[in-house]
Amino acid sequence: MKTTYKKRMQRKKEFIDSRIKEANIDKGIIVLLTGNGKGKSSSAMGMICRALGYDMKVALVRFLKGEQQTGEDLFLDNNSNVVSAHMESGFTWDTQDQELDKKSASETWNEAEKFLANPEIDLVVLDEITYMINYNYLDEKVILKVLSNRPKDQHVVITGRAASKGIIEASDTVSEVKDIKHAFRTNIRAQKGIDL
Ligand code: ATP
Ligand code: MG
């Protein structure tokens, strides 16, 4: 029994080692985090943290920022390796002004475009951009073109529910966060350090 286990593990190790050896390409990738569960933007923040650990330069672009300040805003704002652009107005049901939302979306996208053309920036996070496409505030085609023309080593992380087909196809890594439970539904309000 013991040897069978050992053999199995040995085979597994050989397989994994050979796969690791084969994966020898370095390039900028697009990571998409979508789905209805909690964990998309905070995962993006985790990758920002990883990148900063290697002294990489990061651009954080947040669509749908809202009034609420988050812990990561406080943490990242003074970091000289981070540049950011935040959509000024909040959510549609906050502003209740579609034209204003559309204008803020394109202003924010203009900033994103600059980051996506700058080879000095190693990682660009486009937080909640999927909604801008779904509401037709931004043109998916334009976004896809800018993404494909970005510097070849630049990584991009995209977050937001209901990612469009085009964004899924353009991404290299796609994860769907599934909602099983959320504390909010038992009347627990958003908690500092966890939700904001
Ligand atoms: P986080 O920023 O915590 O990673 P997220 O980016 O996956 O969350 P969003 O849809 O952007 O999720 O919503 C952000 C806020 O809404 C967070 O405070 C989060 O805890 C909360 N939230 C996320 N998913 C749900 C859900 N399924 N039900 C209720 N609240 C949610
Ligand atoms: Mg989010």
Side-chain angles (χ1 to χ4, degrees):
M1 180 114 168
K2 228 176 169 179
T3 43
T4 324
Y5 175 79
K6 197 172 175 198
K7 259 190 187 150
R8 229 173 41 229
M9 286 301 125
Q10 222 160 23
R11 272 205 297 273
K12 201 172 191 148
K13 184 179 168 1
E14 276 162 24
F15 175 72
I16 292 169
D17 285 350
S18 76
R19 287 296 295 120
I20 292 173
K21 227 173 159 182
E22 275 171 52
N24 58 5
I25 301 167
D26 284 318
K27 77 182 275 281
I29 62 165
I30 302 178
V31 177
L32 168 64
L33 299 153
T34 191
N36 294 332
K38 173 190 158 48
K40 302 173 292 293
S41 298
S42 43
S43 169
M45 299 311 150
M47 283 177 268
I48 289 180
C49 190
R50 287 183 167 173
L52 292 176
Y54 293 110
D55 206 28
M56 289 160 77
K57 305 264 180 294
V58 174
L60 171 58
V61 186
R62 303 176 81 183
F63 296 87
L64 294 188
K65 173 135 184 306
E67 294 297 299
Q68 189 68 61
Q69 190 169 45
T70 61
E72 60 266 25
D73 293 330
L74 298 167
F75 186 68
L76 297 173
D77 270 0
N78 298 319
N79 193 307
S80 59
N81 277 352
V82 180
V83 284
S84 59
H86 297 173
M87 192 162 142
E88 287 303 322
S89 71
F91 220 151
T92 338
W93 56 69
D94 269 341
T95 56
Q96 295 168 7
D97 183 340
Q98 201 177 16
E99 277 318 300
L100 181 69
D101 280 351
K102 212 167 177 170
K103 190 169 161 272
S104 324
S106 40
E107 281 167 8
T108 312
W109 170 249
N110 289 342
E111 293 303 306
E113 253 192 289
K114 286 181 209 155
F115 299 143
L116 290 162
N118 182 351
E120 309 250 288
I121 298 177
D122 301 294
L123 167 64
V124 179
V125 173
L126 304 172
D127 191 39
E128 322 293 353
I129 197 172
T130 58
Y131 302 94
M132 302 299 113
I133 298 167
N134 298 345
Y135 292 156
N136 288 320
Y137 290 173
L138 297 178
D139 185 347
E140 188 197 48
K141 272 203 215 94
V142 173
I143 295 173
L144 294 177
K145 193 163 175 214
V146 170
L147 286 173
S148 76
N149 290 336
R150 74 190 194 281
K152 73 171 183 38
D153 293 326
Q154 187 182 70
H155 299 298
V156 177
V157 176
I158 296 173
T159 82
R161 295 179 191 202
S164 58
K165 207 166 153 246
I167 294 290
I168 293 173
E169 277 166 12
S171 301
D172 300 280
T173 296
V174 180
S175 294
E176 184 174 21
V177 184
K178 189 177 168 203
D179 176 42
I180 292 176
K181 260 186 175 185
H182 196 288
F184 185 69
R185 291 203 287 281
T186 58
N187 290 341
I188 300 169
R189 69 175 106 186
Q191 296 294 300
K192 273 186 187 167
I194 299 293
D195 299 298
L196 55 109

